[in-house]
């Protein structure tokens, strides 16, 4: 029998959660089992039980554990043991689907739960001792072959939830698998327009996960018609991952998103305000063609770095000492402000703004070396305005 022995299995919090749910026949499920079999570190430990969520909450309370109905309409409860949260889902089967959400019914059959999951390697289960269950009879073999396949017929699985198209490419990128199922790839291409039925928030979350993968470039290239439907105006990039690795830079989803070139990405993917601002800064630094120091001063060190890496992916050599130049620009502070000009007699208004701009140009031309006196002279006198 196949067993898993991940570092999280003997964790007292994990075992406390499983002990509390023992009467409900709890099983570890999905990514934590898959990743344990692959020797990958696992962050989230998900559990499934053969009982409705109300029974899960009752058993947790009896064991003195907290349980929160975070997704009770979908059979999901968050149980907290030892300060660690566990998502506990009731075994279920789909009664009705519309491409976005499903009407479910609870079941006690693990095979029925497995049949509604997206990919065979996500339909793997394990008991508290680590013994693995493979209800589809295909998950372990597919995992051994490093092959991502839908559970059952691809078009049917996609038609239940069109987000599975993006998950297909995201898992290829995250796991580093080659595209070994032509029928599944063809189904994703053929049914790509169904993404219009998926919320932009869900699409955005999936795209950012894909772009955070160690190397998303093969998956982006394989997406074909899917990519512009998920993100209008986007086109696959090449060379960026190589540039990142050469310079020892970690994957950065927003840098890679900027490299896709989609002008309305922040709105289309429903990015947060902070993410949208960071993406805009990268694009401004990329389009500005300033020196590394000036780009860092204007847009921030991270945006300047990301713009240079995107250019390097296109074949443009990185400037000598670019890291030091970015650090110098990011720490630079112009020794003249609007308040200084008003003390010199300028009144608030367009003329003051123009004077400050003249001083800024002189300061940058002098490589951030001009002092306050020189910049006051460059600004001119109030009469000039």
């Amino acid at each position: 029998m196949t067993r898993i022995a991940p570092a999280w299995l003997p964790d007292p919090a994990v075992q406390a959660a499983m002990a509390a749910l023992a009467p409900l026949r709890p099983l570890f499920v999905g990514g934590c089992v898959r990743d344990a079999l692959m020797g990958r570190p696992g962050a989230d430990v998900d559990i499934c039980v053969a009982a409705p969520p109300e029974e899960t909450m009752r058993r947790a309370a009896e064991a003195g554990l907290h349980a929160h109905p975070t997704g009770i309409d979908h059979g999901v409860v968050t149980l907290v043991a030892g300060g660690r949260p566990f998502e506990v889902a009731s075994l279920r089967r789909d009664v009705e689907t519309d491409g976005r959400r499903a009407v479910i019914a609870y079941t006690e059959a693990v095979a029925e739960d497995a049949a509604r999951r997206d990919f065979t390697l996500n339909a793997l289960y394990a008991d508290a001792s680590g013994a693995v269950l493979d209800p589809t009879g295909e998950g372990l073999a597919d995992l051994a072959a490093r092959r991502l396949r839908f559970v059952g017929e691809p078009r049917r699985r996609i038609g239940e939830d069109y987000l599975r198209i993006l998950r297909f490419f995201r898992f290829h990128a995250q796991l580093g698998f080659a595209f070994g199922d032509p029928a599944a790839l063809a189904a994703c291409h053929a049914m790509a327009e169904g993404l219009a039925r998926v919320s932009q928030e869900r699409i955005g979350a999936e795209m950012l996960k894909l772009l955070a993968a160690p190397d998303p470039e093969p998956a982006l290239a394989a997406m074909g018609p899917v990519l512009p439907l998920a993100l209008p105006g986007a086109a696959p990039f090449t060379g960026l991952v190589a540039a990142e690795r050469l310079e020892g830079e970690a994957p950065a989803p927003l840098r890679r998103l900027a490299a896709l070139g989609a002008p309305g990405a922040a709105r289309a993917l429903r990015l947060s305000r902070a993410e949208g601002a960071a993406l805009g800064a990268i694009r401004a630094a990329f389009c500005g063609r300033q020196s590394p120091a000036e780009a860092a001063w204007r847009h921030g060190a991270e945006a300047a770095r990301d713009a240079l890496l995107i250019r390097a992916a296109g074949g443009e050599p990185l400037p000598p000492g670019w890291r030091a130049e970015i650090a110098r620009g990011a720490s630079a502070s112009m020794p003249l402000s609007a308040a200084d000009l008003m003390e010199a007699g300028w009144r608030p208004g367009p003329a003051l703004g123009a004077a400050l701009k003249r001083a800024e140009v002189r300061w940058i031309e002098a490589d951030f070396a001009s002092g306050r006196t020189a910049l006051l002279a460059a600004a001119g006198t109030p009469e000039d305005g």
Side-chain angles (χ1 to χ4, degrees), residues 110-111 114-115 119-121 123-125 132-144 147 149-152:
V110 176
F119 308 112
T120 60
L121 49 75
L124 294 169
Y125 305 71
V132 175
L133 288 73
D134 182 7
T136 69
E138 299 174 328
L140 288 173
D142 285 339
L143 195 59
R147 180 175 58 230
R149 291 196 308 128
F150 285 98
V151 173

Side-chain angles (χ1 to χ4, degrees), residues 334-342 356:
M334 194 169 103
L336 186 72
S337 66
D340 294 327
L341 291 179
M342 286 190 285
L356 193 62

Side-chain angles (χ1 to χ4, degrees), residues 181-332:
D181 188 345
L185 182 60
C188 288
H189 288 173
M191 301 180 73
E193 291 187 359
L195 287 171
R197 304 178 66 178
V198 179
S199 73
Q200 290 171 302
E201 289 83 359
R202 294 180 75 204
I203 290 175
E206 204 62 40
M207 284 297 299
L208 290 179
K209 290 178 183 178
L210 190 158
L211 292 171
D215 184 1
E217 292 185 13
L220 291 169
M223 289 175 79
V226 174
L227 181 58
L229 287 170
L231 181 56
F237 56 76
T238 59
L240 181 54
V241 172
E244 292 170 345
R245 290 175 176 173
L246 183 63
E247 298 301 325
E249 293 291 339
L254 292 181
R255 177 197 306 141
R256 293 166 170 186
L257 182 57
L260 289 177
R267 181 179 62 259
L269 300 184
R270 294 292 192 268
L271 299 184
S272 69
R273 184 172 298 179
E275 290 170 333
L279 180 62
I282 297 169
R283 287 178 170 160
F286 179 79
C287 296
R289 306 303 304 183
Q290 297 118 352
S291 69
E294 182 181 354
W297 179 70
R298 291 188 181 279
H299 309 294
E302 291 185 359
R305 173 204 63 199
D306 291 346
L308 285 176
L309 289 171
I310 294 171
R311 289 181 193 148
E316 185 175 320
L318 287 165
W322 63 275
R323 292 185 191 277
E325 283 298 286
I326 285 177
R328 184 171 70 88
S331 63

